[in-house]
Amino acid sequence: MDEAVERRRFLGLTAAAAALATTGTATGCGVLGGGDGNVTLTVVAADYDLTGGDSTKRYWDGLVAAYRAKHPEVTVQVRIESWNDVDRTVAEMVKAGEAPDIAQIGAYADHAAADRLYSADELLSIPVQANFLAPLIAAGENRRTQYGLPFVASTRPLFYNRDLFEAAGAQPPTTWAELAAAAEKLKAHGVPTPFALPLGPEEAQAEAMMWLLSGGGGWTDAAEHYAIDSEANIRTFEWLRKNLVGKGLTGPVAPAELNRKAAFAAFAEGRVGMLNGHPSLVKEAAGKGIRVGQVPLPGIDGKPKTSMGVADWIMGFRQNGHRKEIGDFLDFLFSDENVLKFAGDNDLLPVTLTASARMETDPQHANLREFLKALPDTQLPPVGKTSWAAVSENIKQNIGRAVAPGGRPAEVLGAIGRAATAAEAAE
């Protein structure tokens, strides 16, 4: 989610499964459930543990054990992959004709467009399908049918260092002008990086989208066609180039060279006054003694109409024909208890209405309330487009040039926009 996780080799699933059944473990994976069930479900899932530990594996171990207590006829084999590998792993398995039954990864649209996935209404019971938050249902649709099931989500408020703000006499901003004024005060007080603007290739598409939405634009228009070089988007990047980057209020390196992970680390070390945050950063920064303030992302003249949301996805593949077993397992996974367990353990947001309501009233998760309040009204990237992967990569590599000294936002956004329109036409 979108995030503070290290993102993205596993071919020959049949051979691997046989080895697992014999040994019980393999690198990064294991047989969870065991037994001589009538059906075996294979699952590939992403690793969310930021510390290099095994919390993700322990979650799936517990989930599968609880499921098999009710469904002993089903064996479930789970393989945990890093975010650096998981999408590619599943793509390679599919190419080899050995698709998993269930994949929990970052994107679903290519698989949906190729008719590899069961739709949500083929898998889930009606109460479960109707319980997802509305923006996540819409974002999980390809050609108006939901194939992507949201697994966890996040939103991005503005984070600020309370101690640095108080020392500089700055106020939490509600508009772009107030944000620039607060950054000026932080700079005058000697803060190394008043505002961290990570437009490097790690996650520039997300950072940029936050700013586009706060400026009244976005990656797509009302008809859901790419509108990357819209007047509103160009105006947003002109403002960033002139009022933040051009005045030396960003850093510690040029935005095009700054990645989200480095920006978050600098904030947690007390060297950054403000940045667009992520739920996982709250705990990391607090653990290092940073008093974190949170406010909604400022817009041009106040709170924007919408803000960005991010979701990771889980899906069921058709290849092995296990529709009923996949659906039963996913119904179980989306119970409040299981949704809250994973989201809470990873400082992320639940994807269902009932779990969100329970988290919002739980004092244990008070630090996530600002994120929860924003989620129902968020807009997600156009992940339902099969062209989005290529368009997103183009944005990551090039959008930072729009705010460079002497940069021309109209030209940069125009080039990205023309490539996006061509990719969309080829879908």
Side-chain angles (χ1 to χ4, degrees):
M1 164 200 15
D2 252 290
E3 269 288 317
V5 180
E6 296 294 329
R7 288 187 177 260
R8 311 280 172 236
R9 282 152 221 126
F10 155 47
L11 290 170
L13 180 60
T14 303
L20 288 173
T22 302
T23 65
T25 59
T27 302
C29 55
V31 174
L32 308 179
D36 298 320
N38 298 323
V39 171
T40 296
L41 294 180
T42 56
V43 181
V44 177
D47 187 359
Y48 285 76
D49 197 304
L50 299 176
T51 65
D54 66 347
S55 63
T56 299
K57 181 181 183 301
R58 285 188 280 108
Y59 170 81
W60 285 99
D61 283 348
L63 180 77
V64 170
Y67 177 76
R68 289 207 74 242
K70 298 180 178 181
H71 300 273
E73 74 283 2
V74 180
T75 297
V76 184
Q77 297 174 342
V78 179
R79 181 181 182 93
I80 309 298
E81 287 278 355
S82 80
W83 271 113
N84 295 324
D85 302 320
V86 68
D87 285 87
R88 185 180 72 248
T89 291
V90 172
E92 289 173 345
M93 293 170 67
V94 168
K95 186 176 180 180
E98 298 166 342
D101 293 295
I102 297 169
Q104 188 274 297
I105 53 181
Y108 68 88
D110 285 354
H111 300 301
D115 197 30
R116 298 174 188 139
L117 304 179
Y118 290 113
S119 64
D121 57 6
E122 289 178 297
L123 293 175
L124 303 177
S125 64
I126 292 173
V128 171
Q129 189 178 357
N131 197 25
F132 292 126
L133 290 158
L136 306 181
I137 294 175
E141 292 180 347
N142 178 268
R143 303 184 188 277
R144 303 192 181 280
T145 298
Q146 185 183 1
Y147 295 95
L149 312 178
F151 183 66
V152 285
S154 69
T155 57
R156 308 289 181 84
L158 180 75
F159 283 9
Y160 63 96
N161 184 313
R162 290 181 179 274
D163 291 329
L164 294 180
F165 262 62
E166 291 172 8
Q171 296 298 317
T174 61
T175 66
W176 285 2
E178 291 177 2
L179 187 149
E184 292 275 16
K185 289 186 175 182
L186 291 166
K187 181 179 180 180
H189 190 67
V191 175
T193 301
F195 192 97
L197 183 65
L199 292 175
E202 181 185 359
E203 206 193 27
Q205 86 289 354
E207 179 71 22
M209 183 175 175
M210 288 181 258
W211 283 99
L212 298 184
L213 292 174
S214 69
W219 294 129
T220 56
D221 59 20
E224 298 183 1
H225 296 301
Y226 288 117
I228 291 173
D229 57 346
S230 68
E231 289 185 9
N233 291 351
I234 292 170
R235 184 172 62 245
T236 293
F237 271 84
E238 287 282 11
W239 188 90
L240 287 171
R241 184 183 64 82
K242 179 181 178 181
N243 294 283
L244 290 186
V245 182
K247 293 184 178 180
L249 300 176
T250 60
V253 297
E257 300 171 12
L258 182 63
N259 282 325
R260 173 193 49 79
K261 184 178 179 180
F264 282 13
F267 183 85
E269 292 165 2
R271 296 186 285 112
V272 170
M274 294 177 280
L275 50 60
N276 294 332
H278 177 277
S280 64
L281 181 56
V282 176
K283 184 181 294 185
E284 180 183 355
K288 296 186 177 182
I290 304 300
R291 293 198 303 133
V292 180
Q294 299 179 39
V295 293
L297 296 183
I300 297 177
D301 299 313
K303 185 179 179 180
K305 294 179 180 179
T306 188
S307 59
M308 188 189 73
V310 178
D312 298 326
W313 306 95
I314 192 164
M315 61 213 70
F317 280 81
R318 292 181 177 276
Q319 180 179 310
N320 300 318
H322 295 151
R323 182 188 65 80
K324 180 182 183 301
E325 292 80 11
I326 294 170
D328 286 345
F329 183 77
L330 292 175
D331 268 0
F332 181 76
L333 180 147
F334 284 117
S335 69
D336 281 0
E337 179 183 0
N338 292 323
V339 170
L340 286 167
K341 170 66 175 170
F342 193 86
D345 285 353
N346 292 279
D347 288 316
L348 292 167
L349 305 183
V351 296
T352 65
L353 293 163
T354 52
S356 295
R358 286 178 57 177
M359 178 178 275
E360 191 166 7
T361 60
D362 187 344
Q364 182 181 351
H365 299 298
N367 62 325
L368 296 177
R369 284 177 184 159
E370 193 68 42
F371 301 91
L372 284 164
K373 284 190 290 185
L375 186 57
D377 299 317
T378 56
Q379 180 176 326
L380 277 74
V383 292
K385 292 179 175 291
T386 55
S387 58
W388 175 242
V391 172
S392 176
E393 187 61 27
N394 191 1
I395 294 168
K396 290 178 183 180
Q397 298 300 324
N398 293 295
I399 197 71
R401 296 189 293 111
V403 298
R408 298 178 180 272
E411 291 183 4
V412 174
L413 292 173
I416 296 172
R418 288 188 294 274
T421 299
E424 183 178 43
E427 288 186 8

